[in-house]
Amino acid sequence: ISNTTIITDSDIIFYPEFRNYLSAFNNNNWYLPEPPESKNYDINCVQPFLFKKVMYSVNAGFIIINNKPDWTIGFDYLIQSLSQNSTSYFLDQTALNLVFSNDLNARLLDPRIFHASANDHFQIKPLSINGLAMRHYVGLIRHKMWQLGWNKYS
């Protein structure tokens, strides 16, 4: 990795506010926090591995890499899990949590601006995009991604 690299899922929409943060992304590695209501890794799978810092859980849908992280612990976890025929749905998310917990310079994206929560999934009215830089339309709310598709944002 020689330049800023953004890894993103296809169910993310970027809003105009996103451009205000581009220059901040030139340093450090950044990750989108998983909302508190989500459980995106299996604690039983990661017990033999060491989390080096307490942190928000990583949402694998959006990460920014400037400095090559040490992927070793993530791959070790994947190799061990697969050798034990693990069927955990969150193998990739768990591996990323291990990698980012060992990256002492990784930074958390503000969840009020970089939104991944599905806490509005029972609301018919769409979430206001005022102040949002992006939204990850995770499972429970993926249908909302198309709810405002006819609107034009500038």
Side-chain angles (χ1 to χ4, degrees):
I1 295 176
S2 59
N3 292 316
T4 300
T5 302
I6 297 176
I7 301 170
T8 181
D9 280 354
S10 61
D11 57 352
I12 289 182
I13 292 181
F14 298 93
Y15 299 111
E17 189 73 20
F18 187 81
R19 346 173 220 246
N20 296 333
Y21 295 92
L22 290 175
S23 63
F25 297 148
N26 290 330
N27 299 306
N28 300 310
N29 294 333
W30 296 85
Y31 68 94
L32 182 65
E34 190 71 12
E37 67 268 13
S38 299
K39 305 287 186 258
N40 75 342
Y41 62 88
D42 182 353
I43 194 64
N44 296 322
C45 291
V46 297
Q47 283 178 343
F49 295 91
L50 177 64
F51 283 90
K52 290 212 174 155
K53 66 179 180 181
V54 176
M55 56 180 257
Y56 283 90
S57 185
V58 176
N59 179 300
F62 186 77
I63 59 175
I64 299 169
I65 299 176
N66 284 292
N67 309 303
K68 182 180 173 189
D70 181 0
W71 298 101
T72 308
I73 192 167
F75 283 115
D76 288 348
Y77 161 75
L78 289 172
I79 290 166
Q80 179 180 324
S81 297
L82 295 173
S83 70
Q84 296 172 356
N85 296 320
S86 174
T87 57
S88 174
Y89 180 77
F90 294 113
L91 286 175
D92 60 334
Q93 298 252 133
T94 305
L96 274 175
N97 274 286
L98 287 164
V99 169
F100 274 83
S101 79
N102 283 278
D103 182 351
L104 301 179
N105 293 313
R107 302 288 185 256
L108 170 75
L109 293 165
D110 186 333
R112 297 168 299 177
I113 300 167
F114 299 86
H115 196 74
S117 178
N119 59 2
D120 65 326
H121 72 283
F122 285 121
Q123 297 172 3
I124 293 176
K125 183 179 177 186
L127 182 75
S128 170
I129 65 161
N130 291 335
L132 289 183
M134 58 151 280
R135 183 165 193 191
H136 186 187
Y137 285 84
V138 294
L140 285 174
I141 51 129
R142 193 156 292 127
H143 65 282
K144 290 179 178 264
M145 187 171 170
W146 296 279
Q147 199 172 21
L148 297 176
W150 53 271
N151 280 341
K152 181 179 178 183
Y153 299 106
S154 57

